[in-house]
Amino acid sequence: LDEEAATQTIFGGLIASGWHTGAMLIRMLNDHSIPRAATTGALGFDDLKWVKPVRPGDVLTVETRVLEKTESRSRPEIGVVKVESRVLNQDEELKMSLVSIVLYRRR
């Protein structure tokens, strides 16, 4: 929060909390990627990586890719989908990545 003090840290300046970046990722997914009517929750995530710090003025975008989908054995109306999400800044530098395990209703 203090620009002058931040210059003395290992980051050399102000950065966003990794968890704040994660919250922004989830918000962007919720607003633009995940069909609200189809999701029934999540089981967690794998491979969370904060690759580079997010800095003031960064403009973030998210890329997603479906890695795997399986049918629930106990609940055939539900599918389990593994989704890789990548957070990039305006220069297309990778800032954060994670794999989410999301439950979706099946047709």
Side-chain angles (χ1 to χ4, degrees):
L1 298 176
D2 182 320
E3 287 186 52
E4 187 176 323
T7 63
Q8 303 304 310
T9 69
I10 62 170
F11 300 106
L14 291 174
I15 64 167
S17 158
W19 288 115
H20 182 81
T21 305
M24 295 301 294
L25 162 67
I26 297 303
R27 179 59 189 249
M28 287 187 273
L29 289 175
N30 186 55
D31 287 349
H32 302 288
S33 178
I34 300 171
R36 293 175 194 208
T39 61
T40 60
L43 298 176
F45 55 84
D46 292 332
D47 297 326
L48 169 63
K49 294 181 179 129
W50 288 296
V51 179
K52 290 186 177 178
V54 172
R55 300 203 178 263
D58 275 347
V59 177
L60 303 178
T61 58
V62 174
E63 296 178 348
T64 58
R65 180 171 63 117
V66 173
L67 300 177
E68 177 183 311
K69 58 183 184 173
T70 56
E71 181 179 313
S72 170
R73 286 182 236 146
S74 60
R75 297 181 60 201
E77 73 279 7
I78 300 292
V80 180
V81 181
K82 281 191 173 186
V83 180
E84 177 186 42
S85 298
R86 296 166 27 98
V87 178
L88 303 138
N89 74 353
Q90 67 281 356
D91 298 320
E92 297 188 16
E93 293 177 304
L94 180 62
K95 298 292 186 159
M96 177 184 170
S97 65
L98 84 119
V99 175
S100 304
I101 305 161
V102 184
L103 302 174
Y104 283 93
R105 288 195 311 235
R106 297 182 68 231
R107 294 181 193 178

